[in-house]
Amino acid sequence: MFPHIKRRKTRTIFVGNVSIGGDSPIRVQSMTNTDTRNVKATIKQIQKLYKVGCEIIRVAIPDEKAIISLKEIVKESPIPVIGDLHFLTSLGEKAVNTGISGIRINPGTFKNRKNLERLVKICKERGTCIRIGINAGSLEKEILKKYQKPTPEAMVESALNWIEYIVEKYDYQNLKVSLKSSNWWDTVRAYELFSEKSDFPLHLGVTEAGGIIPGTIKNTMAISYLLLKGIGDTLRVSLTADPVEEVYVAYEILKNLGLRSLHPDVIACPMCGRCEIDLMRLYKKVEKWAKKVKANLKLAVMGCVVNGPGEAKHVDLGITGGKGVGIIFRKGKIIKKVPENELLSAFFKEIKKFLKEHPERYIN
Ligand code: SF4
């Protein structure tokens, strides 16, 4: 059913206790959009993200005040925290000292190499992972001069230079790399080129992708293309939306490629003139329920009894309606008829029964 994906061999690194690369699963990350200085709001958002499967969280470090909050956030967060740093200053060292598990740096914005040296030394002492986050919009002047514009080749050269500098000078290897551009094809080419030249794990993502619909499309095109080629060890689906949506989209991509699954897959028919129920309402309720459950399960919400059970016979359980009756089917066979207003509760009961019979379907 799924394409055969042979993952590129990368070295294993760690962000706190979460392994990335090697044989580790492809990790799902997100970034908070709260004000880091607001500890309560930031922790609340991290908890929400953790519940839906986010494994690593990144928070912005805009100033000194954020460093004070960061200490609290690190203490309270259920998942490893990465600090996001631009325009490297002494803030970097202070951030690492809060106990963060990783730091994302954008070398193109560095003005002072002394600060970088101090930062790498302290990351090495504390085992803090460094992400070299190359961004097409902020490449070093010398590289831009050589390539005329921020091409994928320019991004890769920048990344390799920084890796060489950090690895050779400090013998520090707990590194991962991202090569982002708002042009998804440039992003793809940069990752492809890089993966031919280095085995450091790759953090996938398309920057400035936009809102839920355009952003999901751009991210899915780039990330899926790369994952199909076996490239990518961790990812963030950047969206101008609630970061919880980023995590949902990330798992949808992984699930549809057969790489990882977390929540039940809910399929629904597109509806036609034969639809006999309020399918949209039912679908929304089932989908909402499914997002709270961690299990490998296929569910269906179909519009009519004539074709529904047959069209969705590959799923574990499904529902449809038919002239005032609610119908539940299992592997394509009708197992129950209930009054339409009892359909959802009867369906959830059947799912629980199914999971009791198949406890191996739960995902921890
Ligand atoms: Fe139409 Fe029924 Fe198929 Fe839905 S299941 S698309 S309502 S025929």
Side-chain angles (χ1 to χ4, degrees):
M1 178 183 174
F2 293 114
H4 177 68
I5 295 173
K6 194 166 176 290
R7 279 183 69 195
R8 181 185 71 111
K9 244 312 153 266
T10 49
R11 57 181 86 191
T12 306
I13 60 142
F14 282 87
V15 176
N17 57 359
V18 176
S19 63
I20 293 175
D23 293 326
S24 313
I26 294 164
R27 303 294 185 184
V28 173
Q29 308 194 21
S30 186
M31 186 168 181
T32 53
N33 59 12
T34 51
D35 183 338
T36 308
R37 292 159 292 203
N38 185 340
V39 177
K40 216 173 146 193
T42 305
I43 283 293
K44 200 173 160 196
Q45 192 168 63
I46 295 175
Q47 291 283 4
K48 252 173 89 182
L49 287 159
Y50 166 64
K51 279 192 188 139
V52 295
C54 180
E55 298 170 292
I56 297 167
I57 189 69
R58 184 156 51 110
V59 298
I61 312 171
D63 58 17
E64 291 273 348
K65 274 192 185 159
I67 299 279
I68 299 165
S69 307
L70 206 52
K71 261 190 201 157
E72 281 300 302
I73 294 166
V74 167
K75 239 191 272 166
E76 303 258 331
S77 174
I79 45 177
V81 176
I82 292 180
D84 188 82
L85 197 69
H86 282 251
F87 307 107
L88 190 74
T89 61
S90 57
L91 275 186
E93 281 171 81
K94 290 178 186 164
V96 174
N97 276 327
T98 64
I100 50 174
S101 303
I103 190 151
R104 182 262 170 155
I105 55 174
N106 178 355
T109 63
F110 295 170
K111 295 276 178 285
N112 183 344
R113 270 205 185 203
K114 279 249 155 13
N115 283 330
L116 173 67
E117 286 177 17
R118 284 207 296 270
L119 180 70
V120 177
K121 270 188 194 152
I122 191 164
C123 283
K124 191 176 173 184
E125 274 164 37
R126 300 193 64 123
T128 313
C129 176
I130 299 176
R131 163 149 68 102
I132 299 174
I134 303 296
N135 198 313
S138 49
L139 284 175
E140 306 92 297
K141 273 193 211 125
E142 314 77 67
I143 293 208
L144 275 178
K145 207 173 158 195
K146 178 175 167 188
Y147 289 92
Q148 307 289 310
K149 55 184 183 172
T151 60
E153 290 78 6
M155 289 160 72
V156 171
E157 184 169 325
S158 170
L160 292 171
N161 284 348
W162 287 108
I163 288 177
E164 195 183 306
Y165 177 71
I166 294 173
V167 172
E168 282 192 3
K169 188 152 185 200
Y170 302 97
D171 185 29
Y172 193 52
Q173 315 216 0
N174 202 25
L175 305 173
K176 59 188 163 81
V177 176
S178 63
L179 303 132
K180 297 188 183 183
S181 161
S182 53
N183 177 315
W184 77 268
W185 184 244
D186 280 354
T187 300
V188 158
R189 286 297 300 141
Y191 279 106
E192 274 186 311
L193 288 173
F194 181 89
S195 70
E196 287 163 12
K197 297 189 165 139
S198 169
D199 69 347
F200 275 100
L202 285 168
H203 168 111
L204 303 185
V206 181
T207 192
E208 296 130 26
I212 292 191
I213 293 180
T216 297
I217 291 171
K218 251 191 220 177
N219 273 286
T220 306
M221 287 166 83
I223 292 172
S224 301
Y225 179 95
L226 289 166
L227 291 176
L228 279 164
K229 294 197 148 198
I231 298 167
D233 303 281
T234 177
L235 58 96
R236 177 199 174 195
V237 172
S238 306
L239 294 176
T240 311
D242 182 338
V244 162
E245 303 292 344
E246 298 190 348
V247 178
Y248 287 142
V249 176
Y251 278 104
E252 280 300 317
I253 294 172
L254 293 173
K255 181 169 70 188
N256 281 288
L257 291 173
L259 286 166
R260 254 190 115 172
S261 142
L262 188 65
H263 304 292
D265 193 17
V266 184
I267 64 157
C269 79
M271 299 190 282
C272 70
R274 293 180 202 92
C275 187
E276 293 167 313
I277 47 171
D278 185 354
L279 189 120
M280 284 209 205
R281 185 186 70 87
L282 283 177
Y283 174 71
K284 277 187 190 149
K285 296 223 164 171
V286 175
E287 200 202 16
K288 197 173 163 196
W289 178 89
K291 280 177 173 172
K292 292 186 195 142
V293 178
K294 291 182 181 171
N296 183 7
L297 205 62
K298 250 186 176 296
L299 306 174
V301 181
M302 304 300 282
C304 72
V305 75
V306 187
N307 291 332
E311 282 179 19
K313 60 173 169 277
H314 58 286
V315 304
D316 297 306
L317 283 155
I319 46 174
T320 183
K323 299 194 178 63
V325 233
I327 285 155
I328 301 173
F329 55 93
R330 186 168 162 157
K331 304 278 182 200
K333 287 208 172 88
I334 295 173
I335 54 163
K336 213 166 229 176
K337 281 189 187 169
V338 293
E340 202 170 321
N341 58 357
E342 292 170 22
L343 181 57
L344 271 182
S345 57
F347 186 46
F348 294 141
K349 252 190 216 161
E350 283 302 324
I351 298 173
K352 279 182 195 147
K353 194 175 145 201
F354 183 92
L355 284 171
K356 218 172 168 186
E357 290 165 25
H358 299 279
E360 76 285 357
R361 297 288 194 96
Y362 278 111
I363 297 166
N364 293 318

